[in-house]
Amino acid sequence: MSNTLDEYYVEILWLVKQAGSIIREKIYQHKDVLTKSCDVDLVTKWDQEVEKLLIDGISSKYSSHRFIGEESTASGQKVELTDAPTWIIDPIDGTMNFVHGLPHTCISVALLINKVAEIGIVYNPILEQLFTARKGQGAFLNGAPIHVSNEKDLRKALVMIEMGTSRDPEKTKIVLQNLELLAPRVHGIRTLGSAALNLSMVALGGVDVSFEFGIHAWDIAAGDLIVREAGGVTIDPAGGPFDVLSRRVLCASSMELAQQVSKTIVQYYPERD
Ligand code: IPD
């Protein structure tokens, strides 16, 4: 199995690098933008092209592999996570940033086998940040090992949050409530506009916590493995085990910190993937 995983890893890295050059070439050019679930849920033809490149590349080598992709799902494909090798793909995470030319945007790809994450890759081709992890083998930024901060105290934590890509009034209210609850209790609040990069920043030790409600499996599957391989934890924001299809995530540098955040915030339960 490990030889096969080595082969998958080499193959996907090569494809992700190729896909990255599309994002690098297009980010500062004019793009035609379409909307999906609401007027801030954006998509461009480049999201679709990157996803196609990755899925075609993997399928041509491994015909039995399955996919959960952001844009395939938007086109009507059902999200189904079985025990089969499944690639969970966000072709451009941070599409809003990509549309505006803000260089915090990335490709996020995870491989799950028997529903367990084996490979996680988050690649920002603009800033040349390649975050990688394989189960049991550590996490890396551009090939150098990375580690979470080990912060355990909420009062000293730097926290990533996101408004998300929904205009739902109940969800927006809870995001703002959580901002109000956390801001006076932590060192600071940040937002990058890409869930996958937010999680990667926890892995890097640049921030101590990231949580979000309403994200999808493709936003967080790779980041989850990268955080855990960097020594951090991923849980459900209410404190239970993480479920990649639940549309809820809380990553932190330590379980102590994750639990403090979990006890502080108001919960929101979106419909599952
Ligand atoms: C979005 C980004 C954003 C997060 C949203 C995601 P997309 O992904 O990760 O940071 O707040 O919840 O949907 O649409 O750019 O792939």
Side-chain angles (χ1 to χ4, degrees):
M1 177 60 133
S2 117
N3 280 352
T4 325
L5 280 169
D6 288 347
E7 195 190 303
Y8 297 160
Y9 183 69
V10 170
E11 190 63 30
I12 193 63
L13 260 189
W14 184 76
L15 288 167
V16 163
K17 284 289 181 84
Q18 266 191 292
S21 50
I22 300 180
I23 298 177
R24 200 181 307 114
E25 191 192 320
K26 303 296 173 191
I27 185 165
Y28 300 120
Q29 295 182 8
H30 167 80
K31 304 152 200 94
D32 292 324
V33 181
L34 297 173
T35 58
K36 296 189 286 185
S37 61
C38 69
D39 64 348
V40 287
D41 187 9
L42 309 182
V43 63
T44 68
K45 72 181 267 202
W46 309 114
D47 297 67
Q48 291 153 347
E49 288 214 356
V50 167
E51 185 160 318
K52 186 170 169 0
L53 184 153
L54 296 173
I55 293 181
D56 287 355
I58 292 289
S59 304
S60 66
K61 286 227 152 190
Y62 314 111
S63 58
S64 65
H65 286 200
R66 305 180 63 138
F67 300 91
I68 297 175
E70 177 172 21
E71 306 316 333
S72 319
T73 306
S75 318
Q77 201 168 301
K78 244 181 99 197
V79 171
E80 257 176 345
L81 182 59
T82 65
D83 286 344
T86 303
W87 296 87
I88 303 187
I89 299 174
D90 192 337
I92 305 186
D93 186 54
T95 299
M96 177 73 78
N97 290 352
F98 174 68
V99 164
H100 285 263
L102 182 66
H104 296 288
T105 188
C106 64
I107 299 165
S108 173
V109 180
L111 173 64
L112 273 63
I113 301 179
N114 296 319
K115 303 191 182 78
V116 173
E118 295 284 349
I119 292 174
I121 296 173
V122 171
Y123 178 44
N124 176 341
I126 318 299
L127 302 181
E128 272 307 335
Q129 297 168 323
L130 176 66
F131 293 92
T132 53
R134 287 182 54 187
K135 192 180 79 181
Q137 295 185 26
F140 301 85
L141 170 57
N142 297 334
I146 54 174
H147 202 276
V148 294
S149 69
N150 287 329
E151 185 57 64
K152 292 183 170 59
D153 184 350
L154 183 60
R155 290 169 305 173
K156 293 185 185 151
L158 194 54
V159 181
M160 282 287 196
I161 63 159
E162 287 289 333
M163 285 307 293
T165 49
S166 143
R167 293 283 202 200
D168 178 64
E170 191 201 339
K171 153 100 196 291
T172 307
K173 191 173 146 205
I174 288 174
V175 172
L176 296 175
Q177 267 178 312
N178 284 333
L179 178 59
E180 238 181 339
L181 282 167
L182 283 169
R185 291 178 163 84
V186 301
H187 257 185
I189 306 275
R190 299 289 182 268
T191 183
L192 269 189
S194 153
L197 287 174
N198 289 346
L199 302 194
S200 301
M201 292 303 152
V202 175
L204 185 62
V207 299
D208 309 298
V209 185
S210 177
F211 74 94
E212 189 171 347
F213 305 120
I215 28 68
H216 292 273
W218 44 82
D219 298 310
I220 53 176
D224 156 50
L225 182 64
I226 294 169
V227 168
R228 288 186 291 110
E229 286 297 324
V233 297
T234 308
I235 62 169
D236 178 83
F242 171 64
D243 170 356
V244 73
L245 299 181
S246 69
R247 303 188 59 205
R248 296 162 47 85
V249 71
L250 195 171
C251 281
S253 52
S254 62
M255 188 53 90
E256 289 91 330
L257 187 53
Q259 281 166 352
Q260 289 169 67
V261 173
S262 167
K263 284 182 194 133
T264 308
I265 59 178
V266 178
Q267 299 293 325
Y268 178 72
Y269 292 87
E271 199 179 312
R272 292 171 60 76
D273 269 329

